[in-house]
Amino acid sequence: MKKFLKYLLESLLIVTMLAAGISGSTNRVYAAGGENIDEACEGVVRVFSVFGQDAASGSGIIVGKTGEESDIIVTNWHVVAEEDYSGGISLADEVYILLDNEAYTSAGFDETHAVKCKVLYTTTGYPDFAILQAEKKIPGRKALPLMSASNASRSERVYALGYPGNADMINDGYISATIQEITATDGTISRMIQADAFGDTFVIQHTAHINHGNSGGPLVNEDGTVIGINTYGYGDNASEYFLSVYIDYAMNALDELGISYDKVKPSDASITSDNAVKSGGSTGLIIGIIAAVVAAGLIAFFLLRKKNGKAGAAAGAASAANRISAAQQAAKQPVSSSGWYIEGIGGTHEGQKFAVNDRLVFGRDPAVCGVVFPKESAASRVHCEIRIVQGKPILQDNGSTNGTFGGTTRLEAGKTYPLPNGAVFSIAGSTNRYRLVQRN
């Protein structure tokens, strides 16, 4: 651990996917955004990732019941994973939330000033987000409300919160990790785009300056509501444009995991938990993370990445792999707030939940399917799918070998069947069963 400072200081000087080394002004939170932004900073944490003798840091977003302490954190995937020399992906050995500036000093790393985390959910690249669960609620940090980025608009004022490297303060071997050191940069939304260079991910392009260290932090509106995850900087000098991934991706994953969070209804600006899947508390949810993942197109030709990484241990690799492919599939289609979800009630995906966006595909092919079956499964490669047509879900079998069933009736291939709320169907027999649920 004593070698960490050397690597940390080096890591803060290396260019990253968030345009490390960008020059420009940054404003402290009290200078940038008023009372709402001050309060929003209480929902930001520093994520500290360890990989062998290396160490790096990023930012994170506390989610849960607004204004209350929580153990659930949203951050970037690249904050908790690293690319190795062979081009493969390695999850970091450990992940922590730093509580103060005594956590990491020239004497080494002091775990008594940090809270250890495990990774509940992570993508393997785009749309580049991860969900962490800390061993306890983070003291002094309060959950922020979330709002679909689809409700944001061009020219709206926004603030990027976090720990950007070019504003970070390292003095006498101390790394600042107190709430007072959170930085806010302000700007406006330039446009909402689907970025093909980043895996067709839906992103908010804005002028709020971000760079390495900002990774995983919140992009908030003037009310202090999270609409994006600060992720990319790009351009000729990797400093011209700043992109934040739609928070919708993380919201869908939270729903799949059964984790409650507060969502702002733009119609009346009130906060509701009605959309959240109740699970009796997120601390009881124990979900594993992948033992190993495969690299795929990690460096865009104009994007410099930094190994900002750290992650938890592996358990339940098959279910974790399903979640990853579901998140990757979400990046290939418009983010939807349809309110429809599938829950597994038997078989391979029992206990898991999947958000139904415009299209949710079931089958063995992880490149196409959002609900993925093992290779040895009786399910076909692209078995069946659910689509939302005029706000209503329909089910279609895609010519599967072993059939899709409504009750005991095998559905005709290629024909669409309406799915009412609460409908149950099964795949390749009666073992793999699913229920359709609508969240208001």
Side-chain angles (χ1 to χ4, degrees):
M1 290 289 186
K2 298 201 178 215
K3 294 183 180 179
F4 281 179
L5 182 61
K6 172 177 177 285
Y7 289 99
L8 181 62
L9 292 173
E10 292 176 350
S11 69
L12 289 174
L13 296 175
I14 296 174
V15 289
T16 79
M17 70 182 303
L18 278 179
I22 299 173
S23 61
S25 62
T26 53
N27 300 314
R28 287 291 174 213
V29 59
Y30 48 76
E35 183 177 346
N36 290 336
I37 307 306
D38 279 334
E39 292 180 357
C41 282
E42 296 179 0
V44 182
V45 293
R46 188 190 289 273
V47 182
F48 186 75
S49 297
V50 179
F51 186 77
Q53 291 293 311
D54 204 356
S57 65
S59 302
I61 309 163
I62 298 290
V63 298
K65 185 171 179 57
T66 302
E68 295 187 2
E69 293 180 351
S70 174
D71 58 350
I72 301 298
I73 300 99
V74 172
T75 188
N76 279 142
W77 160 80
H78 73 265
V79 171
V80 296
E82 298 189 348
E83 183 182 11
D84 60 31
Y85 293 108
S86 66
I89 300 302
S90 298
L91 298 172
D93 300 323
E94 294 175 322
V95 181
Y96 295 90
I97 301 301
L98 301 189
L99 299 179
D100 54 47
N101 62 350
E102 299 294 327
Y104 193 94
T105 71
S106 57
F109 181 59
D110 185 349
E111 294 188 22
T112 64
H113 290 265
V115 179
K116 194 172 184 178
C117 301
K118 63 172 173 281
V119 181
L120 294 182
Y121 187 123
T122 182
T123 61
T124 54
Y126 310 119
D128 200 334
F129 74 92
I131 297 174
L132 314 178
Q133 182 175 34
E135 289 184 340
K136 65 177 181 179
K137 294 180 179 180
I138 307 302
R141 296 296 206 259
K142 300 177 181 179
L144 299 179
L146 313 180
M147 183 176 75
S148 172
S150 63
N151 297 306
S153 59
R154 191 195 314 268
S155 78
E156 182 178 347
R157 194 171 184 83
V158 289
Y159 300 85
L161 310 181
Y163 300 91
N166 67 357
D168 229 341
M169 299 176 66
I170 299 180
N171 299 312
D172 299 324
Y174 285 77
I175 178 171
S176 300
T178 62
I179 193 170
Q180 289 83 359
E181 298 306 323
I182 293 171
T183 296
T185 54
D186 62 335
T188 56
I189 294 176
S190 304
R191 56 177 177 161
M192 318 290 283
I193 59 173
Q194 185 176 14
D196 56 0
F198 304 110
D200 291 332
T201 300
F202 281 80
V203 296
I204 305 166
Q205 180 182 318
H206 56 84
T207 61
H209 191 101
I210 57 178
N211 76 339
H212 70 282
N214 271 120
S215 294
L219 184 75
V220 302
N221 60 19
E222 290 192 291
D223 294 328
T225 299
V226 180
I227 59 174
I229 308 167
N230 300 324
T231 308
Y232 308 119
Y234 78 101
D236 291 341
N237 298 311
S239 61
E240 296 177 280
Y241 307 103
F242 308 108
L243 303 178
S244 299
V245 169
Y246 275 29
I247 192 62
D248 303 60
Y249 291 112
M251 291 163 67
N252 286 341
L254 291 166
D255 288 329
E256 288 183 26
L257 293 172
I259 296 174
S260 297
Y261 61 95
D262 280 350
K263 179 178 180 180
V264 170
K265 289 182 176 179
S267 58
D268 58 6
S270 64
I271 295 173
T272 177
S273 294
D274 293 344
N275 67 303
V277 181
K278 302 297 183 180
S279 62
S282 60
T283 55
L285 184 65
I286 307 298
I287 299 181
I289 178 163
I290 322 169
V293 290
V294 179
L298 298 176
I299 302 179
F301 63 93
F302 45 66
L303 186 61
L304 295 175
R305 304 194 68 136
K306 177 186 180 294
K307 296 188 278 186
N308 250 2
K310 185 166 202 177
S319 61
N322 289 339
R323 294 191 181 95
I324 284 175
S325 63
Q328 290 172 325
Q329 180 64 20
K332 301 176 184 177
Q333 57 189 20
V335 176
S336 171
S337 55
S338 67
W340 292 100
Y341 298 91
I342 291 296
E343 56 183 12
I345 57 176
T348 302
H349 302 105
E350 184 172 3
Q352 296 183 42
K353 298 180 176 65
F354 301 88
V356 180
N357 295 308
D358 293 339
R359 180 172 180 250
L360 180 64
V361 182
F362 298 70
R364 299 195 317 269
D365 188 347
V368 178
C369 302
V371 183
V372 182
F373 289 82
K375 290 182 179 179
E376 65 276 11
S377 170
S380 296
R381 186 182 70 83
V382 182
H383 193 99
C384 66
E385 63 186 67
I386 295 175
R387 299 195 302 274
I388 304 298
V389 178
Q390 297 181 341
K392 301 295 184 181
I394 59 173
L395 175 64
Q396 175 182 304
D397 182 89
N398 290 332
S400 65
T401 301
N402 295 308
T404 304
F405 298 83
T408 58
T409 302
R410 180 167 178 164
L411 307 185
E412 182 180 341
K415 183 177 179 180
T416 59
Y417 295 82
L419 279 182
N421 187 23
V424 174
F425 63 96
S426 59
I427 290 176
S430 60
T431 301
N432 297 307
R433 294 183 298 125
Y434 304 86
R435 177 184 291 114
L436 181 71
V437 180
Q438 184 177 28
R439 305 296 180 190
N440 297 322

